[in-house]
Amino acid sequence: MTVTPLGIPRRLIEFTLDGQEIRVPEGSTLLEACRGAGKDIPTLCEGDTLTPKNACRVCVVEVEGARTLAPACSRRAEAGMEVRTDTERARHSRKVVLELLASSTDLSTTPRAAEWIKEYEAKPDRFGADAARLNEEPKIDNDLYVRDYDKCIQCYKCVDACGEQWQNTFAISVAGRGFDARISTEHDAPLTDSACVYCGNCIEVCPTGALSFKSEFDMREAGTWNEDEQTETTTVCAYCGVGCNLTLHVQENEIVKVTSPHDNPVTHGNLCIKGRFGYQHVQNRG
Amino acid sequence: MDLHFGDSKPTDDERAAVDALLGPPASAWEGADDRTDADLRWARGGREARERRDQLLPGLHAINDRVGWISEGALDYLCRRLTVPPAEAYGVATFYAMFAVKPRPAKVVHVCTDLACATRGARAVCAGLEERLGAAGSASGGVVWQESPCLGLCERAPAALVIQAGQPASPGRLRPRTPAPQSPAGLEFATAVVAPATPEAVVLAASAPEAATAEPPATMAVPQAGQQGLTLLKRVGVVDPASLDDYRAYGGYTALRHAFDLGPAGTIREVTDSGLVGRGGAAFPTGRKWQATASQPAHPHYVVCNADESEPGTFKDRVVMEGDPYALIEAMTIAGYATGAHLGYLYIRGEYPRAVRRLEHAISEARARGFLGDDVLGQGYAFDIEIRRGAGAYICGEETALFNSIEGYRGEPRSKPPFPVEKGLFGKPTAANNVETLVNVLPILTHGAEAFRASETKLFCVSGNVTRPGIYELPFGATLGELLDLAGRPETLKAVLLGGAAGGFVRPDEMDIPLTFEGTRAAGTTLGSGVVLAFDGTVPLPRLLLRIAEFFRDESCGQCVPCRVGTVRQEEALHRILDRTGAEAATDIALLREVGQAMKDASICGLGQTAWNAVESAIDRLGAYK
C-alpha cells in the first residue's frame, strides 16, 4: 500500500498552458502542472525526491514575455502566466540539447532517451566522428558500486542526494569547470578513501545509469541482465526498527538489486548500506 | 553532518597561512594539534563554523599565495577550520583558474592571449617564452607559464602577470599570530605586471617579481586625463589614489553628505530621477533596483560591488579603481545607505593585484577616519566594506555566480527568479552594481538628477589596432566613429567588436552608430560593457572567432548542458571551417546557428546565452567564411 501524505491545503492559481486555462496549487512547478494536464515533457535532471537543479535543460518551455526559455522543472507557475510547451522554439532547444547530450555521453541505459531522440528527430551524429566526449573506462574501486563517467550527464542529483538534501555525507561534489567538470570525491580519491558511507542513495537517483550496483553492472557486462524477467517485491527491511521499505528486484530467484519506494513518507527512497546492499544473507542457501 | 577528513596533514607553512587568516584553531574539533579536556566534553564547530564558510575562498587564496598550489593536507586543514566537506572544497578549488591542486612552482606567469593582446603580438611573446622557459604548463627553473584569458590590461597589450607565492610581503597585513616558518624557497609573495610584454621582460620579471619595475600610473590608460568636462574620470590621474585628503580636496564625500541630507528614500528618488541604468551590460534602472532592495522586509540587506571585470577587452573598472579608489568606496556607502545595508562586499577579479592593494589601503584609511565603520561621518549609520578577491573565473561576473563565489560555493549561476533584490547574497535582499554604475551615483547626488541627465557620460575601453588605446569618457550620443577618431583609427579598419566577446561585430561602414543603449540596440548590436576593439586588415577574422569560442569553452562553468557542450561543439565547428569558405563552410555554419540558438534560448545564464553572439554577428554582418 502506498501512503500519500495530504499536506497543507494550498491556494489554487490560474494560468494558461498551451492555450488552455488551468488551475494548479500555488507553488507548483510548470512541470507538475504539465503532468497534471496530461502533457509529457522530457526531463532528465528532475527527480521526484530532490529539488531540481535544472541543469539538463531538456524540459524547457516558452513563457510569454520572457527573453529565454524556462526550465519547466523548476519554474513555478504564476497567476496569469502564458506557457507554451510545444512551440517550434522549445522543440528546437530540446532537440539540440538531446543532440548535445547524446553526442557527449552514452545514453544507452537512460530510460526514455532513445524515445525522445526519435520524437524530437535529434541527430547526435551530425557533430562529426571526433566530437569531444569522455571515453573513459568505468571506475570499479569497491564491491558495491560502479561509476561510469561516460554515462554521466552532470545532473547534480547524486551530489544533492549525498549532500544537504538527504544523506548529509557530502562525499561527492562537482569538481573542475566547463566540459571538464565531473562528479568527484575529495582530491579525486577512490571511493574507498572518501567520505562515502555506501548508502547507495546516489544510485537511487541517478537518471542515466552512470552510477549502478556492481551486481547490475556485472550482469550487464555478461549479458545476463534482463529487466523483463525481473519481479519487484516491496517489503520491510529487517535490520533495525525504523521500518524502511525495500523493493527487491529479483531475477531467476536471485536478488539483483534493492531500491526503495520514493513515495514512502519516511524514507523517500533513501536507505542505508545494510538495507541497500546487505541482502546476500537471504540468498545464502548453504 | 558527519564530516570525513583524510589523514593528510598540512605543512607548517600551509597551516601558518590558514591560521594567519582565521586565527589559531580554538579546539581539536577545528584542527588544533592537542586535544584539551574540554574538547572531549563539547563538540564545537557546527553552525558557528559553517557560518564562516565565506572564508573558504580567502582561505584558498591564503594557501595558494603562500605555497603556489593547494595540497591535500592544506585543503583538509582549511576544511576542518571551517567545517566544510572536503569534497565540496575540492570542487571549489578546482573551479578557479588561478588555483592548482597539483604541485607547481611558486612562480606562475599568466600570459594574456585574448583578443586585444592577440592583435598586438601575444603569439610572439608565447613563442619567446616557449624558447626560454619551455612549453606552457611545464615547470622549469622554478617558473611555470601559462596562457591566460584577458588580463584587463588591453591598453598596454600584450600583457603578462607574474605571481610569486611566498611569505606575505608586509607581515603586518596578515598578522600571523606566531612567527611563521620560512617558505621552502624563502620567497616573498609578490606580483608583477608586464605590459607591454616582451619575452625578455617577462623572464626578467619572473626571476624577481618583487623587484620588477613599477606599473605606469593609471593615468596612462586615460588619454583624456586632466581634460575639462570629464565626470567619471575627472579625478583619475589628478588625485593621489592613496590619499583620502586629496580625494576630499577634489570634491570627495560631498555626494555622501548630500545623501545623508536627502535620507535613504530621497537618495533613491534622486537616482531614479536621474534615469541611471546599470553599466554592466544589462542596462537595468539602478533606482528601481535600489528601491526594490530597500523595500524588502527580510534583513540584513547587502550591497555588492561587482568588480569582476573579466569581459575580454574591458579594463575601465580597473582604471577607475586604481586611479580613484575612494570614489568607489563613497559610492558603495551611498548605495548601502539608500538600500538599508550595513555591509558591502567588493568582489574584485584576482588578476587585478594593484586595484586590490589600492582599495585595501583606501578602505582601511576610510575606516580609520570614520568614513566607514559604526558611525559613518557621525550620522549614526554603520557601514563597512569587505573585499573579496576572485580567482580567475569569468562566470563570477554573473551576479548570482558572484554570490555563490563569495559564499564559498562553486561560482555557478543560480536560476532566476528569485532575483537578487529579493534573495541575493546569503539568501538576503541584495543590490549588486558594477563599478562604473556606482561611480555615476556621485555626480547624481552632487549636482542633482536634472544636471546629471543633461550631461550623462559613458566610459569606453578602446583597444586593438588604434594609436591611443585607453579609457574614454564620452557623452551619450557620440558616434562610434567619433570615439575611434579620438583613439586614432587604424588606416584599414576591418571590423569593430562592440561589447566584448559577448557583444557583436560591426562593419567599418557603420561608424555612425550612436553609442547609446537604444542606438546600438536599434542597429542590432549592443553596448555591453563598453568595449570597442578595433581590428585592421592584418587580423585574421576566423582565428579571432576561434579565440572567442575557446574563451567561452574555457569559461563555461559546466552547469547546464547547452553551454557546457554547446560551447565545445561551437569551437569544434569553427576549427573545421577555419580556412574554408562558401559552400564548404555552409553545413557547419548551419550547425553553428542551430547550436547557437539553443545556447541563447536554453542556457541558465548570460554566459551561455551570449556565447554565440560575436560569431553570429561575424557571419551575418561581416560575411566571415563567405
Side-chain angles (χ1 to χ4, degrees), chain A residues 53-57 60 67-71 74-75 78 89 92-93 95-97 99-101 103-105 126-128 130-133 152-156 159 163-164 168-181 184-188 193-197, chain B residues 1-6 8 71-73 75-76 85-88 90-92 94-97 392-395 409-410 412 415-417 553-566 568-569 572 576 590-591 593-595 597-604 609:
Chain A
K53 189 75 183 174
N54 63 71
C56 79
R57 314 304 274 191
V60 285
R67 189 173 45 87
T68 54
L69 301 175
S74 58
R75 187 61 182 270
E78 290 162 32
R89 210 172 142 209
H92 171 78
S93 270
K95 176 188 99 160
V96 173
V97 167
E99 285 176 343
L100 293 173
L101 269 175
S103 68
S104 56
T105 35
R126 66 194 182 120
F127 298 114
D130 45 4
R133 56 185 298 152
C152 177
I153 59 163
Q154 316 249 16
C155 68
Y156 291 65
V159 176
E164 60 175 11
N168 270 283
T169 290
F170 298 94
I172 45 175
S173 169
V174 179
R177 193 165 79 190
F179 197 72
D180 300 325
S184 170
T185 57
E186 66 261 34
H187 319 301
D188 207 12
D193 294 344
S194 76
C196 179
V197 296
Chain B
M1 178 153 67
D2 173 27
L3 295 184
H4 169 274
F5 301 102
S8 39
S71 72
E72 279 188 36
L75 189 67
D76 280 355
E88 284 194 358
Y90 180 76
V92 173
T94 52
F95 186 82
Y96 296 100
Y394 171 70
I395 183 62
Y409 294 90
R410 291 165 56 79
E412 291 171 352
S415 329
K416 296 189 253 186
R553 184 256 292 143
D554 271 347
E555 298 295 338
S556 168
C557 78
Q559 189 181 204
C560 70
V561 175
C563 178
R564 182 179 76 229
V565 190
V568 174
R569 299 289 176 253
E572 288 168 350
R576 283 197 293 269
L591 193 72
R593 281 188 202 282
E594 287 203 26
V595 173
Q597 188 59 42
M599 285 201 280
K600 203 176 267 191
D601 276 343
S603 296
I604 291 181
Q609 288 160 11

Side-chain angles (χ1 to χ4, degrees), chain B residues 77-269:
Chain B
Y77 180 65
L78 182 61
C79 287
R80 258 180 215 279
R81 298 298 317 274
L82 300 171
T83 325
V84 171
E88 284 194 358
Y90 180 76
V92 173
T94 52
F95 186 82
Y96 296 100
M98 292 172 85
F99 296 148
V101 293
K102 300 253 156 42
R104 67 172 177 191
K107 292 174 188 174
V108 182
V109 180
H110 302 264
V111 181
C112 179
T113 54
D114 228 318
L115 307 175
C117 288
T119 61
R120 293 200 162 225
R123 278 286 125 231
V125 176
C126 289
L129 287 180
E130 203 156 338
E131 224 169 79
R132 289 167 178 80
L133 299 174
S138 69
S140 100
V143 185
V144 61
W145 75 277
Q146 59 191 52
E147 293 186 6
S148 154
C150 184
L151 290 170
L153 295 158
C154 318
E155 85 279 14
R156 285 180 273 147
L161 170 68
V162 182
I163 300 175
Q164 170 180 289
Q167 296 288 323
S170 49
R173 221 184 74 209
L174 288 175
R175 259 177 252 110
R177 309 283 166 116
T178 46
Q182 274 295 305
S183 295
L187 296 171
E188 259 196 0
F189 176 74
T191 56
V193 166
V194 196
T198 57
E200 298 78 26
V202 174
V203 172
L204 193 67
S207 65
E210 66 279 14
T213 29
E215 279 184 73
T219 354
M220 294 293 289
V222 186
Q224 294 169 308
Q227 196 173 303
Q228 288 293 310
L230 298 181
T231 311
L232 307 172
L233 296 176
K234 68 176 175 188
R235 276 182 295 259
V236 176
V238 176
V239 298
D240 172 3
S243 165
L244 178 54
D245 289 324
D246 219 19
Y247 176 67
R248 291 175 67 201
Y250 282 91
Y253 280 103
T254 47
L256 180 61
R257 284 178 205 281
H258 276 282
F260 282 134
D261 290 342
L262 293 168
T267 304
I268 292 179
R269 199 180 321 118

Side-chain angles (χ1 to χ4, degrees), chain A residues 259-272:
Chain A
T259 58
S260 180
H262 288 200
D263 55 3
N264 182 303
V266 178
T267 61
H268 298 277
N270 297 297
L271 293 172
C272 73

Side-chain angles (χ1 to χ4, degrees), chain B residues 536-576:
Chain B
D536 66 13
T538 62
V539 178
L541 194 56
R543 307 227 163 246
L544 204 64
L545 298 182
L546 193 56
R547 172 63 219 173
I548 292 174
E550 262 174 30
F551 173 81
F552 282 109
R553 184 256 292 143
D554 271 347
E555 298 295 338
S556 168
C557 78
Q559 189 181 204
C560 70
V561 175
C563 178
R564 182 179 76 229
V565 190
T567 52
V568 174
R569 299 289 176 253
Q570 169 172 286
E571 191 194 346
E572 288 168 350
L574 289 173
H575 259 293
R576 283 197 293 269

Side-chain angles (χ1 to χ4, degrees), chain B residues 307-389:
Chain B
D308 186 72
E309 176 181 61
S310 313
E311 182 70 41
T314 320
F315 49 101
K316 60 191 168 71
D317 291 352
R318 190 199 89 230
V319 171
V320 170
M321 287 190 287
E322 289 180 349
D324 197 6
Y326 290 100
L328 180 56
I329 295 173
E330 182 183 357
M332 279 184 75
T333 314
I334 294 170
Y337 177 66
T339 56
H342 296 289
L343 185 57
Y345 283 87
L346 172 54
Y347 190 94
I348 309 185
R349 66 182 305 214
E351 293 89 337
Y352 284 176
R354 180 159 72 168
V356 174
R357 277 199 305 274
R358 293 246 162 108
L359 275 152
E360 272 174 354
H361 173 79
I363 286 172
S364 67
E365 203 65 3
R367 208 178 274 149
R369 302 270 298 273
F371 290 90
L372 285 176
D374 293 339
D375 188 12
V376 175
L377 282 177
Q379 297 284 327
Y381 167 64
F383 186 72
D384 214 329
I385 297 174
E386 277 193 30
I387 290 187
R388 281 292 188 278
R389 192 150 52 108

Side-chain angles (χ1 to χ4, degrees), chain A residues 91-144:
Chain A
R91 288 187 69 91
H92 171 78
S93 270
R94 278 182 221 156
K95 176 188 99 160
V96 173
V97 167
L98 285 165
E99 285 176 343
L100 293 173
L101 269 175
S103 68
S104 56
T105 35
D106 169 9
L107 298 181
S108 62
T109 48
T110 305
R112 303 199 62 190
E115 174 195 328
W116 291 329
I117 284 173
K118 204 166 153 206
E119 181 188 340
Y120 289 95
E121 292 169 9
K123 296 185 183 65
D125 296 339
R126 66 194 182 120
F127 298 114
D130 45 4
R133 56 185 298 152
L134 215 56
N135 282 332
E136 201 180 305
E137 285 299 305
K139 262 187 157 50
I140 309 170
D141 54 17
N142 68 86
D143 292 336
L144 300 182

